[in-house]
């Protein structure tokens, strides 16, 4: 059996190259006067795609800022404006990075957006996006965040077609109405109305992409040993997610599936002698991506799961005749799937068991509700959990993560024979 240690996924390399080229083109469009949007990950991105409005996802841009080790100066810029630099760092990093000196921002910097679009999640997200709306030339549009309803058992099998029963018609009605308001708001400012047939085509391609992600997730869950490192699967999955609804994204998801299948057939393993399989719950640790592979040599431990592929597999499939309503159903409960028990906790247990997980590292951010119930559900299933309370995008809070994980593996995650 051979090792994938020194061989990155072709799809990861291709996705990263594509994203850099796309961002350079977005900067050229903005320089020529095209309006661009900054959107939170839980905003209805497919609408922007269908209306031809280029957009940057706030969380993706934050991950680039953190990966380039610009989290500290960006947060310092936030503090200089009299705003908290120790709360919701992942969401606020892009706001701080806009004030970095010319030439210091990653990839040439984010052009000033014309539109800032987000959901009113918690007490803070809307305040961050209101700050964007105070910048010259930027307007903010906020969508409502509604409360979760009790999750039907096995919701992941229901949401593609029976989403009304999972999220409730009232919640979907509200978001659908607000998306219609957003359509009118954008049309008034851009002079371009929504082509609903184009939105239906975008939704169909996004569903096709999610189906490929499901197949890939299932391949990885069943494979022994792990055929691909999470540091490769994350860009291979997430870059196409930010282009969801395009043919390129469908093709990229298909290519990832085929490459994973090829590795499994070739007997390639990230660490062929793996003895411990770990799960990472929470956002990616962008300030230290090398961490995910740092426990292989000493402990024969591999991270087999992160939320990105799994959410791409179970979180986005929505079939329906009305594309606006299906879009509302896609986003109305997206954060519930990750954070609100029992919907979230039952899903994490399902994924942990399917992937043969021996231990879980649970990164708990300051905006993560229900974290204790998620941890309890996993431990009740016989899986030890290490809770780490920190921000994934602020290196000041994660300095001892490697030491804590090593101690957790050593004391609570026995090696498989």
């Amino acid at each position: 059996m051979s090792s994938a240690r020194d061989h990155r996924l072709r799809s990861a390399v291709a996705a990263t190259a594509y994203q850099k080229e796309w961002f350079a083109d977005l900067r050229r469009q903005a320089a020529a006067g095209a309006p661009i949007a900054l959107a939170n990950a839980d905003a209805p991105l497919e609408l922007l795609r269908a209306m031809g409005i280029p957009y940057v996802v706030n969380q993706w841009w934050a991950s680039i800022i953190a990966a380039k080790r610009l989290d500290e100066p960006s947060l310092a810029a936030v503090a200089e404006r009299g705003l908290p630099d120790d709360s919701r760092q992942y969401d606020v990093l892009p706001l701080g990075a806009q004030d970095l000196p010319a030439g210091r921002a990653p990839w040439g910097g984010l052009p000033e957006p014309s539109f800032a679009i987000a959901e009113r999640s918690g007490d803070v997200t809307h305040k961050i996006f209101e700050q964007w709306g105070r910048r010259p030339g930027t307007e903010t549009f906020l969508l409502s965040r509604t409360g979760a309803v009790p999750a039907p058992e096995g919701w992941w099998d229901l949401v593609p077609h029976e989403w009304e029963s999972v999220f409730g018609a009232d919640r979907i009605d509200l978001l659908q109405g607000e998306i219609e308001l957003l359509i009118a708001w954008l049309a008034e400012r851009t002079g371009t109305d929504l082509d609903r047939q184009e939105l239906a085509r975008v939704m169909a391609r996004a569903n096709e992409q999610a189906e490929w992600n499901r197949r890939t997730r299932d391949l990885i869950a069943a494979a022994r040993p792990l055929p691909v490192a999470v540091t490769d699967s994350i860009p291979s999955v997430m870059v196409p997610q930010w282009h969801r609804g395009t043919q390129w994204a469908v093709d990229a998801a298909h290519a990832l599936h085929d490459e994973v299948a090829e590795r499994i057939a070739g007997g390639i393993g990230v660490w062929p002698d793996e003895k411990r399989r770990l799960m990472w719950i929470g956002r990616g640790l962008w300030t230290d991506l090398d961490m995910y592979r740092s426990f292989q040599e000493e402990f024969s431990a591999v991270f087999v799961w992160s939320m990105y592929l799994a959410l791409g597999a179970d979180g986005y499939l929505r079939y329906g005749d009305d594309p606006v309503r299906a879009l509302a159903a896609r986003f109305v409960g997206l954060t519930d799937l990750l954070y609100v028990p029992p919907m979230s906790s039952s899903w994490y247990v399902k994924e942990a068991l399917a992937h043969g997980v021996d231990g879980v590292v649970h990164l708990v951010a300051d905006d993560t509700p229900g974290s204790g119930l998620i941890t309890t559900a996993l431990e009740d299933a016989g899986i030890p959990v290490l809770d780490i309370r920190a921000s994934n995008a602020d290196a000041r809070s994660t300095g001892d993560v490697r030491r804590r994980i090593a101690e957790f593996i050593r004391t609570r995650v026995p090696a498989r024979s």
Side-chain angles (χ1 to χ4, degrees), residues 287-306:
T287 55
D288 186 12
L289 287 173
D290 291 339
M291 181 278 300
Y292 291 102
R293 302 188 71 168
S294 64
F295 307 103
Q296 293 171 181
E297 188 166 344
E298 182 178 359
F299 299 107
S300 295
V302 291
F303 277 97
V304 301
W305 193 95
S306 77

PDB file of all heavy atoms in Angstrom, residues 287-306:
ATOM      1  N   THR A 287      -5.364  29.232  10.580  1.00  0.00           N
ATOM      2  CA  THR A 287      -4.057  29.759  10.996  1.00  0.00           C
ATOM      3  C   THR A 287      -3.006  28.672  11.160  1.00  0.00           C
ATOM      4  O   THR A 287      -1.821  28.980  11.321  1.00  0.00           O
ATOM      5  CB  THR A 287      -4.190  30.540  12.319  1.00  0.00           C
ATOM      6  OG1 THR A 287      -4.791  29.685  13.307  1.00  0.00           O
ATOM      7  CG2 THR A 287      -5.045  31.779  12.137  1.00  0.00           C
ATOM      8  N   ASP A 288      -3.422  27.383  11.105  1.00  0.00           N
ATOM      9  CA  ASP A 288      -2.457  26.292  11.285  1.00  0.00           C
ATOM     10  C   ASP A 288      -2.980  25.036  10.588  1.00  0.00           C
ATOM     11  O   ASP A 288      -3.291  24.027  11.229  1.00  0.00           O
ATOM     12  CB  ASP A 288      -2.225  26.016  12.775  1.00  0.00           C
ATOM     13  CG  ASP A 288      -1.116  25.000  13.023  1.00  0.00           C
ATOM     14  OD1 ASP A 288      -0.380  24.679  12.068  1.00  0.00           O
ATOM     15  OD2 ASP A 288      -1.002  24.517  14.166  1.00  0.00           O
ATOM     16  N   LEU A 289      -3.063  25.055   9.271  1.00  0.00           N
ATOM     17  CA  LEU A 289      -3.585  23.910   8.540  1.00  0.00           C
ATOM     18  C   LEU A 289      -2.669  22.692   8.644  1.00  0.00           C
ATOM     19  O   LEU A 289      -3.125  21.551   8.514  1.00  0.00           O
ATOM     20  CB  LEU A 289      -3.796  24.289   7.071  1.00  0.00           C
ATOM     21  CG  LEU A 289      -4.999  25.214   6.801  1.00  0.00           C
ATOM     22  CD1 LEU A 289      -5.003  25.666   5.352  1.00  0.00           C
ATOM     23  CD2 LEU A 289      -6.311  24.537   7.158  1.00  0.00           C
ATOM     24  N   ASP A 290      -1.370  22.917   8.880  1.00  0.00           N
ATOM     25  CA  ASP A 290      -0.456  21.785   9.038  1.00  0.00           C
ATOM     26  C   ASP A 290      -0.808  20.932  10.254  1.00  0.00           C
ATOM     27  O   ASP A 290      -0.403  19.766  10.341  1.00  0.00           O
ATOM     28  CB  ASP A 290       0.990  22.272   9.168  1.00  0.00           C
ATOM     29  CG  ASP A 290       1.519  22.872   7.880  1.00  0.00           C
ATOM     30  OD1 ASP A 290       0.956  22.565   6.811  1.00  0.00           O
ATOM     31  OD2 ASP A 290       2.490  23.647   7.941  1.00  0.00           O
ATOM     32  N   MET A 291      -1.548  21.515  11.181  1.00  0.00           N
ATOM     33  CA  MET A 291      -1.909  20.786  12.398  1.00  0.00           C
ATOM     34  C   MET A 291      -2.615  19.476  12.098  1.00  0.00           C
ATOM     35  O   MET A 291      -2.386  18.466  12.766  1.00  0.00           O
ATOM     36  CB  MET A 291      -2.796  21.681  13.276  1.00  0.00           C
ATOM     37  CG  MET A 291      -3.239  21.070  14.592  1.00  0.00           C
ATOM     38  SD  MET A 291      -4.692  19.964  14.455  1.00  0.00           S
ATOM     39  CE  MET A 291      -5.921  21.074  13.792  1.00  0.00           C
ATOM     40  N   TYR A 292      -3.444  19.460  11.060  1.00  0.00           N
ATOM     41  CA  TYR A 292      -4.278  18.292  10.795  1.00  0.00           C
ATOM     42  C   TYR A 292      -3.460  17.036  10.472  1.00  0.00           C
ATOM     43  O   TYR A 292      -3.943  15.921  10.634  1.00  0.00           O
ATOM     44  CB  TYR A 292      -5.253  18.584   9.648  1.00  0.00           C
ATOM     45  CG  TYR A 292      -6.324  19.579  10.023  1.00  0.00           C
ATOM     46  CD1 TYR A 292      -6.254  20.909   9.619  1.00  0.00           C
ATOM     47  CD2 TYR A 292      -7.409  19.194  10.809  1.00  0.00           C
ATOM     48  CE1 TYR A 292      -7.231  21.824   9.963  1.00  0.00           C
ATOM     49  CE2 TYR A 292      -8.396  20.102  11.164  1.00  0.00           C
ATOM     50  CZ  TYR A 292      -8.294  21.417  10.740  1.00  0.00           C
ATOM     51  OH  TYR A 292      -9.256  22.317  11.102  1.00  0.00           O
ATOM     52  N   ARG A 293      -2.224  17.214   9.997  1.00  0.00           N
ATOM     53  CA  ARG A 293      -1.400  16.056   9.652  1.00  0.00           C
ATOM     54  C   ARG A 293      -0.232  15.877  10.624  1.00  0.00           C
ATOM     55  O   ARG A 293       0.642  15.058  10.387  1.00  0.00           O
ATOM     56  CB  ARG A 293      -0.887  16.201   8.220  1.00  0.00           C
ATOM     57  CG  ARG A 293      -2.026  16.333   7.218  1.00  0.00           C
ATOM     58  CD  ARG A 293      -1.554  16.283   5.785  1.00  0.00           C
ATOM     59  NE  ARG A 293      -1.109  14.937   5.426  1.00  0.00           N
ATOM     60  CZ  ARG A 293      -0.860  14.560   4.172  1.00  0.00           C
ATOM     61  NH1 ARG A 293      -1.029  15.412   3.178  1.00  0.00           N
ATOM     62  NH2 ARG A 293      -0.454  13.334   3.917  1.00  0.00           N
ATOM     63  N   SER A 294      -0.265  16.629  11.711  1.00  0.00           N
ATOM     64  CA  SER A 294       0.892  16.634  12.609  1.00  0.00           C
ATOM     65  C   SER A 294       0.894  15.481  13.610  1.00  0.00           C
ATOM     66  O   SER A 294       1.868  15.310  14.342  1.00  0.00           O
ATOM     67  CB  SER A 294       0.959  17.967  13.370  1.00  0.00           C
ATOM     68  OG  SER A 294      -0.165  18.116  14.222  1.00  0.00           O
ATOM     69  N   PHE A 295      -0.174  14.679  13.665  1.00  0.00           N
ATOM     70  CA  PHE A 295      -0.251  13.599  14.654  1.00  0.00           C
ATOM     71  C   PHE A 295      -0.066  12.221  14.014  1.00  0.00           C
ATOM     72  O   PHE A 295      -0.246  11.203  14.672  1.00  0.00           O
ATOM     73  CB  PHE A 295      -1.602  13.658  15.381  1.00  0.00           C
ATOM     74  CG  PHE A 295      -1.886  15.016  15.965  1.00  0.00           C
ATOM     75  CD1 PHE A 295      -2.776  15.883  15.353  1.00  0.00           C
ATOM     76  CD2 PHE A 295      -1.217  15.448  17.104  1.00  0.00           C
ATOM     77  CE1 PHE A 295      -3.015  17.135  15.873  1.00  0.00           C
ATOM     78  CE2 PHE A 295      -1.450  16.701  17.634  1.00  0.00           C
ATOM     79  CZ  PHE A 295      -2.352  17.561  17.010  1.00  0.00           C
ATOM     80  N   GLN A 296       0.298  12.220  12.746  1.00  0.00           N
ATOM     81  CA  GLN A 296       0.401  10.951  12.028  1.00  0.00           C
ATOM     82  C   GLN A 296       1.611  10.136  12.472  1.00  0.00           C
ATOM     83  O   GLN A 296       1.496   8.942  12.774  1.00  0.00           O
ATOM     84  CB  GLN A 296       0.436  11.211  10.526  1.00  0.00           C
ATOM     85  CG  GLN A 296      -0.875  11.781  10.011  1.00  0.00           C
ATOM     86  CD  GLN A 296      -0.827  12.258   8.571  1.00  0.00           C
ATOM     87  OE1 GLN A 296      -1.820  12.754   8.049  1.00  0.00           O
ATOM     88  NE2 GLN A 296       0.322  12.153   7.928  1.00  0.00           N
ATOM     89  N   GLU A 297       2.761  10.778  12.532  1.00  0.00           N
ATOM     90  CA  GLU A 297       3.979  10.030  12.807  1.00  0.00           C
ATOM     91  C   GLU A 297       4.017   9.499  14.236  1.00  0.00           C
ATOM     92  O   GLU A 297       4.354   8.332  14.465  1.00  0.00           O
ATOM     93  CB  GLU A 297       5.205  10.902  12.532  1.00  0.00           C
ATOM     94  CG  GLU A 297       6.510  10.146  12.610  1.00  0.00           C
ATOM     95  CD  GLU A 297       7.661  10.926  12.006  1.00  0.00           C
ATOM     96  OE1 GLU A 297       7.422  11.897  11.276  1.00  0.00           O
ATOM     97  OE2 GLU A 297       8.798  10.548  12.300  1.00  0.00           O
ATOM     98  N   GLU A 298       3.670  10.335  15.210  1.00  0.00           N
ATOM     99  CA  GLU A 298       3.749   9.907  16.603  1.00  0.00           C
ATOM    100  C   GLU A 298       2.623   8.973  17.001  1.00  0.00           C
ATOM    101  O   GLU A 298       2.830   8.007  17.735  1.00  0.00           O
ATOM    102  CB  GLU A 298       3.759  11.126  17.531  1.00  0.00           C
ATOM    103  CG  GLU A 298       3.878  10.762  19.001  1.00  0.00           C
ATOM    104  CD  GLU A 298       3.938  11.970  19.925  1.00  0.00           C
ATOM    105  OE1 GLU A 298       3.905  13.127  19.416  1.00  0.00           O
ATOM    106  OE2 GLU A 298       4.012  11.771  21.154  1.00  0.00           O
ATOM    107  N   PHE A 299       1.410   9.250  16.504  1.00  0.00           N
ATOM    108  CA  PHE A 299       0.239   8.509  16.986  1.00  0.00           C
ATOM    109  C   PHE A 299      -0.445   7.658  15.916  1.00  0.00           C
ATOM    110  O   PHE A 299      -1.436   6.998  16.212  1.00  0.00           O
ATOM    111  CB  PHE A 299      -0.791   9.498  17.552  1.00  0.00           C
ATOM    112  CG  PHE A 299      -0.302  10.307  18.719  1.00  0.00           C
ATOM    113  CD1 PHE A 299      -0.005  11.656  18.575  1.00  0.00           C
ATOM    114  CD2 PHE A 299      -0.140   9.728  19.965  1.00  0.00           C
ATOM    115  CE1 PHE A 299       0.436  12.422  19.640  1.00  0.00           C
ATOM    116  CE2 PHE A 299       0.302  10.476  21.052  1.00  0.00           C
ATOM    117  CZ  PHE A 299       0.597  11.825  20.882  1.00  0.00           C
ATOM    118  N   SER A 300       0.032   7.711  14.688  1.00  0.00           N
ATOM    119  CA  SER A 300      -0.671   7.059  13.563  1.00  0.00           C
ATOM    120  C   SER A 300      -2.141   7.491  13.552  1.00  0.00           C
ATOM    121  O   SER A 300      -3.058   6.691  13.326  1.00  0.00           O
ATOM    122  CB  SER A 300      -0.566   5.532  13.656  1.00  0.00           C
ATOM    123  OG  SER A 300       0.768   5.115  13.513  1.00  0.00           O
ATOM    124  N   ALA A 301      -2.357   8.787  13.804  1.00  0.00           N
ATOM    125  CA  ALA A 301      -3.701   9.356  13.889  1.00  0.00           C
ATOM    126  C   ALA A 301      -3.967  10.250  12.688  1.00  0.00           C
ATOM    127  O   ALA A 301      -3.137  11.088  12.332  1.00  0.00           O
ATOM    128  CB  ALA A 301      -3.854  10.159  15.179  1.00  0.00           C
ATOM    129  N   VAL A 302      -5.120  10.067  12.072  1.00  0.00           N
ATOM    130  CA  VAL A 302      -5.492  10.874  10.903  1.00  0.00           C
ATOM    131  C   VAL A 302      -6.857  11.514  11.146  1.00  0.00           C
ATOM    132  O   VAL A 302      -7.748  10.903  11.736  1.00  0.00           O
ATOM    133  CB  VAL A 302      -5.537  10.022   9.624  1.00  0.00           C
ATOM    134  CG1 VAL A 302      -4.144   9.570   9.220  1.00  0.00           C
ATOM    135  CG2 VAL A 302      -6.455   8.815   9.776  1.00  0.00           C
ATOM    136  N   PHE A 303      -7.000  12.741  10.696  1.00  0.00           N
ATOM    137  CA  PHE A 303      -8.306  13.388  10.691  1.00  0.00           C
ATOM    138  C   PHE A 303      -9.040  12.923   9.445  1.00  0.00           C
ATOM    139  O   PHE A 303      -8.620  13.210   8.318  1.00  0.00           O
ATOM    140  CB  PHE A 303      -8.171  14.910  10.715  1.00  0.00           C
ATOM    141  CG  PHE A 303      -7.974  15.473  12.095  1.00  0.00           C
ATOM    142  CD1 PHE A 303      -6.694  15.763  12.555  1.00  0.00           C
ATOM    143  CD2 PHE A 303      -9.051  15.686  12.936  1.00  0.00           C
ATOM    144  CE1 PHE A 303      -6.501  16.278  13.840  1.00  0.00           C
ATOM    145  CE2 PHE A 303      -8.873  16.196  14.217  1.00  0.00           C
ATOM    146  CZ  PHE A 303      -7.596  16.493  14.672  1.00  0.00           C
ATOM    147  N   VAL A 304     -10.136  12.203   9.652  1.00  0.00           N
ATOM    148  CA  VAL A 304     -10.868  11.636   8.522  1.00  0.00           C
ATOM    149  C   VAL A 304     -12.095  12.456   8.159  1.00  0.00           C
ATOM    150  O   VAL A 304     -12.735  12.177   7.135  1.00  0.00           O
ATOM    151  CB  VAL A 304     -11.307  10.186   8.840  1.00  0.00           C
ATOM    152  CG1 VAL A 304     -10.095   9.320   9.149  1.00  0.00           C
ATOM    153  CG2 VAL A 304     -12.313  10.134   9.988  1.00  0.00           C
ATOM    154  N   TRP A 305     -12.442  13.457   8.976  1.00  0.00           N
ATOM    155  CA  TRP A 305     -13.721  14.162   8.766  1.00  0.00           C
ATOM    156  C   TRP A 305     -13.570  15.631   9.127  1.00  0.00           C
ATOM    157  O   TRP A 305     -12.985  15.984  10.144  1.00  0.00           O
ATOM    158  CB  TRP A 305     -14.805  13.544   9.655  1.00  0.00           C
ATOM    159  CG  TRP A 305     -16.216  13.941   9.349  1.00  0.00           C
ATOM    160  CD1 TRP A 305     -17.106  13.273   8.561  1.00  0.00           C
ATOM    161  CD2 TRP A 305     -16.929  15.091   9.836  1.00  0.00           C
ATOM    162  NE1 TRP A 305     -18.319  13.926   8.528  1.00  0.00           N
ATOM    163  CE2 TRP A 305     -18.234  15.058   9.306  1.00  0.00           C
ATOM    164  CE3 TRP A 305     -16.583  16.167  10.663  1.00  0.00           C
ATOM    165  CZ2 TRP A 305     -19.193  16.022   9.573  1.00  0.00           C
ATOM    166  CZ3 TRP A 305     -17.536  17.139  10.936  1.00  0.00           C
ATOM    167  CH2 TRP A 305     -18.831  17.063  10.398  1.00  0.00           C
ATOM    168  N   SER A 306     -14.089  16.481   8.248  1.00  0.00           N
ATOM    169  CA  SER A 306     -14.376  17.878   8.579  1.00  0.00           C
ATOM    170  C   SER A 306     -15.763  18.179   8.034  1.00  0.00           C
ATOM    171  O   SER A 306     -16.286  17.435   7.186  1.00  0.00           O
ATOM    172  CB  SER A 306     -13.337  18.828   7.972  1.00  0.00           C
ATOM    173  OG  SER A 306     -13.590  19.010   6.590  1.00  0.00           O
TER     174      SER A 306
END
